[in-house]
Short mmCIF file of all heavy atoms in Angstrom, two decimals:
data_model
loop_
_atom_site.label_atom_id
_atom_site.label_comp_id
_atom_site.label_asym_id
_atom_site.label_seq_id
_atom_site.Cartn_x
_atom_site.Cartn_y
_atom_site.Cartn_z
N ALA A 1 -51.73 18.89 -116.99
CA ALA A 1 -52.98 18.27 -117.45
C ALA A 1 -53.63 17.44 -116.35
O ALA A 1 -54.85 17.45 -116.18
CB ALA A 1 -52.70 17.41 -118.67
N ALA A 2 -52.80 16.73 -115.57
CA ALA A 2 -53.33 15.89 -114.50
C ALA A 2 -54.02 16.73 -113.43
O ALA A 2 -55.10 16.38 -112.94
CB ALA A 2 -52.19 15.07 -113.88
N VAL A 3 -53.41 17.86 -113.06
CA VAL A 3 -54.02 18.74 -112.07
C VAL A 3 -55.29 19.37 -112.61
O VAL A 3 -56.31 19.48 -111.93
CB VAL A 3 -53.02 19.83 -111.63
CG1 VAL A 3 -53.71 20.90 -110.79
CG2 VAL A 3 -51.86 19.22 -110.86
N ALA A 4 -55.25 19.77 -113.90
CA ALA A 4 -56.40 20.46 -114.50
C ALA A 4 -57.61 19.54 -114.65
O ALA A 4 -58.74 20.01 -114.67
CB ALA A 4 -56.01 21.02 -115.87
N THR A 5 -57.39 18.23 -114.74
CA THR A 5 -58.51 17.30 -114.97
C THR A 5 -58.99 16.62 -113.71
O THR A 5 -59.87 15.75 -113.76
CB THR A 5 -58.08 16.21 -115.98
OG1 THR A 5 -56.89 15.55 -115.52
CG2 THR A 5 -57.83 16.82 -117.35
N GLN A 6 -58.45 16.97 -112.54
CA GLN A 6 -58.97 16.40 -111.29
C GLN A 6 -60.41 16.88 -111.08
O GLN A 6 -60.77 17.97 -111.48
CB GLN A 6 -58.10 16.85 -110.11
CG GLN A 6 -56.75 16.15 -110.07
CD GLN A 6 -55.91 16.65 -108.92
OE1 GLN A 6 -56.32 17.55 -108.19
NE2 GLN A 6 -54.73 16.07 -108.77
N PRO A 7 -61.24 16.08 -110.44
CA PRO A 7 -62.66 16.46 -110.27
C PRO A 7 -62.87 17.83 -109.67
O PRO A 7 -63.67 18.60 -110.14
CB PRO A 7 -63.19 15.34 -109.35
CG PRO A 7 -62.30 14.17 -109.61
CD PRO A 7 -60.95 14.74 -109.89
N ASP A 8 -62.14 18.16 -108.60
CA ASP A 8 -62.39 19.46 -107.97
C ASP A 8 -61.69 20.58 -108.68
O ASP A 8 -61.94 21.75 -108.43
CB ASP A 8 -61.98 19.44 -106.50
CG ASP A 8 -60.48 19.34 -106.33
OD1 ASP A 8 -59.82 18.82 -107.25
OD2 ASP A 8 -59.97 19.77 -105.28
N ALA A 9 -60.77 20.27 -109.59
CA ALA A 9 -60.06 21.32 -110.31
C ALA A 9 -60.93 21.96 -111.36
O ALA A 9 -60.65 23.07 -111.80
CB ALA A 9 -58.80 20.75 -110.95
N VAL A 10 -61.98 21.28 -111.78
CA VAL A 10 -62.84 21.84 -112.82
C VAL A 10 -64.04 22.57 -112.24
O VAL A 10 -64.89 23.05 -112.97
CB VAL A 10 -63.32 20.73 -113.78
CG1 VAL A 10 -62.15 20.10 -114.51
CG2 VAL A 10 -64.12 19.67 -113.04
N LYS A 11 -64.13 22.61 -110.89
CA LYS A 11 -65.21 23.37 -110.30
C LYS A 11 -64.97 24.85 -110.49
O LYS A 11 -63.86 25.29 -110.75
CB LYS A 11 -65.31 23.06 -108.80
CG LYS A 11 -65.72 21.62 -108.51
CD LYS A 11 -65.78 21.39 -107.01
CE LYS A 11 -66.17 19.96 -106.70
NZ LYS A 11 -66.19 19.71 -105.25
N LYS A 12 -65.99 25.62 -110.33
CA LYS A 12 -65.87 27.06 -110.49
C LYS A 12 -64.93 27.62 -109.43
O LYS A 12 -64.91 27.19 -108.29
CB LYS A 12 -67.23 27.74 -110.38
CG LYS A 12 -68.15 27.41 -111.55
CD LYS A 12 -69.47 28.17 -111.43
CE LYS A 12 -70.36 27.87 -112.63
NZ LYS A 12 -71.63 28.58 -112.54
N ALA A 13 -64.17 28.66 -109.84
CA ALA A 13 -63.16 29.23 -108.94
C ALA A 13 -63.78 30.04 -107.83
O ALA A 13 -63.11 30.42 -106.88
CB ALA A 13 -62.20 30.11 -109.74
N SER A 14 -65.08 30.36 -107.90
CA SER A 14 -65.70 31.23 -106.90
C SER A 14 -65.61 30.65 -105.50
O SER A 14 -65.56 31.38 -104.51
CB SER A 14 -67.17 31.48 -107.25
OG SER A 14 -67.87 30.25 -107.32
N GLY A 15 -65.57 29.33 -105.39
CA GLY A 15 -65.46 28.73 -104.07
C GLY A 15 -64.10 28.16 -103.79
O GLY A 15 -63.91 27.49 -102.80
N SER A 16 -63.12 28.44 -104.64
CA SER A 16 -61.82 27.79 -104.54
C SER A 16 -61.09 28.13 -103.25
O SER A 16 -60.43 27.27 -102.67
CB SER A 16 -60.95 28.16 -105.74
OG SER A 16 -60.72 29.56 -105.78
N LEU A 17 -61.24 29.34 -102.75
CA LEU A 17 -60.52 29.73 -101.56
C LEU A 17 -61.11 29.12 -100.29
O LEU A 17 -60.56 29.26 -99.22
CB LEU A 17 -60.50 31.26 -101.43
CG LEU A 17 -59.58 31.99 -102.40
CD1 LEU A 17 -59.70 33.49 -102.20
CD2 LEU A 17 -58.13 31.55 -102.23
N LEU A 18 -62.24 28.44 -100.41
CA LEU A 18 -62.88 27.85 -99.25
C LEU A 18 -62.53 26.38 -99.06
O LEU A 18 -62.95 25.77 -98.08
CB LEU A 18 -64.40 28.00 -99.36
CG LEU A 18 -64.92 29.44 -99.46
CD1 LEU A 18 -66.44 29.43 -99.60
CD2 LEU A 18 -64.49 30.26 -98.25
N ARG A 19 -61.79 25.79 -99.97
CA ARG A 19 -61.43 24.38 -99.86
C ARG A 19 -60.05 24.23 -99.22
O ARG A 19 -59.19 25.09 -99.34
CB ARG A 19 -61.46 23.71 -101.24
CG ARG A 19 -62.87 23.70 -101.84
CD ARG A 19 -62.99 22.65 -102.94
NE ARG A 19 -62.13 22.94 -104.08
CZ ARG A 19 -62.48 23.75 -105.09
NH1 ARG A 19 -63.66 24.36 -105.07
NH2 ARG A 19 -61.68 23.95 -106.10
N ARG A 20 -59.86 23.11 -98.54
CA ARG A 20 -58.66 22.89 -97.74
C ARG A 20 -57.38 23.08 -98.54
O ARG A 20 -56.43 23.69 -98.04
CB ARG A 20 -58.70 21.48 -97.15
CG ARG A 20 -57.50 21.13 -96.30
CD ARG A 20 -57.51 19.68 -95.85
NE ARG A 20 -56.37 19.39 -95.00
CZ ARG A 20 -55.16 19.09 -95.46
NH1 ARG A 20 -54.93 19.04 -96.75
NH2 ARG A 20 -54.17 18.85 -94.60
N LYS A 21 -57.34 22.56 -99.75
CA LYS A 21 -56.11 22.61 -100.54
C LYS A 21 -55.71 24.04 -100.87
O LYS A 21 -54.56 24.31 -101.25
CB LYS A 21 -56.27 21.81 -101.82
CG LYS A 21 -57.31 22.35 -102.79
CD LYS A 21 -57.38 21.52 -104.07
CE LYS A 21 -56.15 21.72 -104.92
NZ LYS A 21 -56.26 21.06 -106.23
N TYR A 22 -56.64 24.98 -100.75
CA TYR A 22 -56.35 26.39 -101.01
C TYR A 22 -56.22 27.18 -99.72
O TYR A 22 -55.38 28.07 -99.61
CB TYR A 22 -57.44 27.00 -101.89
CG TYR A 22 -57.57 26.34 -103.24
CD1 TYR A 22 -58.81 26.05 -103.77
CD2 TYR A 22 -56.44 26.01 -103.98
CE1 TYR A 22 -58.94 25.43 -105.01
CE2 TYR A 22 -56.55 25.40 -105.23
CZ TYR A 22 -57.79 25.11 -105.74
OH TYR A 22 -57.90 24.51 -106.95
N VAL A 23 -57.08 26.88 -98.74
CA VAL A 23 -57.08 27.66 -97.51
C VAL A 23 -55.77 27.51 -96.75
O VAL A 23 -55.18 28.50 -96.30
CB VAL A 23 -58.27 27.24 -96.62
CG1 VAL A 23 -58.15 27.88 -95.23
CG2 VAL A 23 -59.60 27.63 -97.26
N VAL A 24 -55.29 26.26 -96.58
CA VAL A 24 -54.10 26.02 -95.77
C VAL A 24 -52.87 26.72 -96.35
O VAL A 24 -52.21 27.49 -95.63
CB VAL A 24 -53.85 24.51 -95.60
CG1 VAL A 24 -52.53 24.27 -94.89
CG2 VAL A 24 -55.00 23.88 -94.82
N PRO A 25 -52.51 26.51 -97.62
CA PRO A 25 -51.33 27.21 -98.14
C PRO A 25 -51.51 28.72 -98.21
O PRO A 25 -50.55 29.47 -98.02
CB PRO A 25 -51.13 26.60 -99.54
CG PRO A 25 -52.45 26.04 -99.91
CD PRO A 25 -53.07 25.59 -98.63
N PHE A 26 -52.73 29.17 -98.48
CA PHE A 26 -52.99 30.60 -98.55
C PHE A 26 -52.76 31.27 -97.20
O PHE A 26 -52.06 32.28 -97.10
CB PHE A 26 -54.43 30.84 -99.02
CG PHE A 26 -54.86 32.28 -98.98
CD1 PHE A 26 -54.42 33.18 -99.94
CD2 PHE A 26 -55.70 32.73 -97.97
CE1 PHE A 26 -54.80 34.50 -99.89
CE2 PHE A 26 -56.09 34.06 -97.92
CZ PHE A 26 -55.64 34.95 -98.88
N VAL A 27 -53.33 30.70 -96.14
CA VAL A 27 -53.15 31.27 -94.81
C VAL A 27 -51.69 31.21 -94.39
O VAL A 27 -51.14 32.16 -93.81
CB VAL A 27 -54.04 30.53 -93.78
CG1 VAL A 27 -53.70 30.96 -92.36
CG2 VAL A 27 -55.51 30.78 -94.08
N LEU A 28 -51.03 30.08 -94.69
CA LEU A 28 -49.62 29.93 -94.33
C LEU A 28 -48.77 30.98 -95.03
O LEU A 28 -47.89 31.60 -94.40
CB LEU A 28 -49.15 28.53 -94.71
CG LEU A 28 -47.75 28.11 -94.26
CD1 LEU A 28 -47.62 28.22 -92.75
CD2 LEU A 28 -47.45 26.68 -94.72
N ALA A 29 -49.01 31.21 -96.32
CA ALA A 29 -48.26 32.22 -97.06
C ALA A 29 -48.51 33.61 -96.49
O ALA A 29 -47.57 34.42 -96.37
CB ALA A 29 -48.64 32.18 -98.54
N CYS A 30 -49.76 33.90 -96.12
CA CYS A 30 -50.09 35.22 -95.55
C CYS A 30 -49.36 35.45 -94.24
O CYS A 30 -48.81 36.54 -94.00
CB CYS A 30 -51.60 35.33 -95.34
SG CYS A 30 -52.55 35.53 -96.86
N VAL A 31 -49.35 34.44 -93.38
CA VAL A 31 -48.69 34.58 -92.07
C VAL A 31 -47.18 34.77 -92.27
O VAL A 31 -46.56 35.63 -91.62
CB VAL A 31 -48.97 33.35 -91.19
CG1 VAL A 31 -48.12 33.39 -89.91
CG2 VAL A 31 -50.44 33.28 -90.84
N ILE A 32 -46.58 33.98 -93.15
CA ILE A 32 -45.14 34.09 -93.39
C ILE A 32 -44.79 35.47 -93.93
O ILE A 32 -43.83 36.11 -93.49
CB ILE A 32 -44.68 32.98 -94.36
CG1 ILE A 32 -44.68 31.63 -93.63
CG2 ILE A 32 -43.28 33.27 -94.90
CD1 ILE A 32 -44.37 30.46 -94.52
N LEU A 33 -45.57 35.96 -94.88
CA LEU A 33 -45.27 37.27 -95.47
C LEU A 33 -45.45 38.39 -94.45
O LEU A 33 -44.62 39.31 -94.37
CB LEU A 33 -46.19 37.52 -96.67
CG LEU A 33 -45.75 36.88 -97.97
CD1 LEU A 33 -46.84 37.02 -99.02
CD2 LEU A 33 -44.48 37.51 -98.48
N ALA A 34 -46.54 38.34 -93.68
CA ALA A 34 -46.77 39.39 -92.67
C ALA A 34 -45.66 39.40 -91.62
O ALA A 34 -45.15 40.46 -91.25
CB ALA A 34 -48.13 39.19 -92.02
N CYS A 35 -45.28 38.21 -91.15
CA CYS A 35 -44.22 38.13 -90.15
C CYS A 35 -42.88 38.55 -90.73
O CYS A 35 -42.04 39.14 -90.03
CB CYS A 35 -44.12 36.70 -89.60
SG CYS A 35 -45.50 36.22 -88.55
N ASN A 36 -42.66 38.25 -92.00
CA ASN A 36 -41.41 38.65 -92.64
C ASN A 36 -41.24 40.17 -92.59
O ASN A 36 -40.17 40.69 -92.27
CB ASN A 36 -41.39 38.17 -94.09
CG ASN A 36 -40.05 38.36 -94.75
OD1 ASN A 36 -39.10 37.61 -94.49
ND2 ASN A 36 -39.93 39.38 -95.59
N THR A 37 -42.30 40.90 -92.91
CA THR A 37 -42.24 42.35 -92.86
C THR A 37 -42.19 42.86 -91.43
O THR A 37 -41.54 43.86 -91.13
CB THR A 37 -43.46 42.95 -93.58
OG1 THR A 37 -43.44 42.53 -94.94
CG2 THR A 37 -43.44 44.46 -93.53
N ALA A 38 -42.90 42.15 -90.52
CA ALA A 38 -42.96 42.59 -89.13
C ALA A 38 -41.63 42.41 -88.40
O ALA A 38 -41.49 42.88 -87.26
CB ALA A 38 -44.06 41.83 -88.39
N THR A 39 -40.65 41.76 -89.00
CA THR A 39 -39.31 41.76 -88.43
C THR A 39 -38.72 43.18 -88.41
O THR A 39 -37.71 43.43 -87.75
CB THR A 39 -38.35 40.87 -89.23
OG1 THR A 39 -38.25 41.35 -90.58
CG2 THR A 39 -38.82 39.43 -89.24
N GLY A 40 -39.35 44.10 -89.17
CA GLY A 40 -38.87 45.48 -89.24
C GLY A 40 -37.91 45.72 -90.38
O GLY A 40 -37.31 46.80 -90.46
N ILE A 41 -37.78 44.76 -91.29
CA ILE A 41 -36.76 44.86 -92.33
C ILE A 41 -36.88 46.13 -93.15
O ILE A 41 -35.89 46.83 -93.38
CB ILE A 41 -36.80 43.59 -93.24
CG1 ILE A 41 -35.74 43.67 -94.34
CG2 ILE A 41 -38.20 43.36 -93.82
CD1 ILE A 41 -34.33 43.69 -93.83
N ASN A 42 -38.07 46.49 -93.61
CA ASN A 42 -38.22 47.68 -94.44
C ASN A 42 -37.97 48.96 -93.65
O ASN A 42 -37.36 49.90 -94.16
CB ASN A 42 -39.61 47.72 -95.08
CG ASN A 42 -39.79 46.65 -96.14
OD1 ASN A 42 -38.82 46.19 -96.73
ND2 ASN A 42 -41.02 46.25 -96.38
N SER A 43 -38.45 49.02 -92.42
CA SER A 43 -38.22 50.20 -91.59
C SER A 43 -36.74 50.35 -91.24
O SER A 43 -36.20 51.46 -91.24
CB SER A 43 -39.05 50.11 -90.30
OG SER A 43 -40.43 50.14 -90.60
#
């Protein structure tokens, strides 16, 4: 409830990926996942 009622949490989701709290973890997760596969594990 606390997260849902924060001022920026009630903004429309269309711009959500452009804010710092979303961009930083999103990019970090993408890099970790890509590098994880690029170790060659699946091949």
Side-chain angles (χ1 to χ4, degrees):
V3 170
T5 55
Q6 287 178 357
D8 68 335
V10 297
K11 294 180 181 178
K12 292 183 178 180
S14 59
S16 61
L17 287 178
L18 301 178
R19 296 200 296 275
R20 179 185 182 278
K21 65 178 289 187
Y22 299 136
V23 170
V24 174
F26 173 75
V27 171
L28 187 57
C30 287
V31 172
I32 287 174
L33 278 171
C35 290
N36 189 76
T37 299
T39 61
I41 180 64
N42 290 335
S43 295

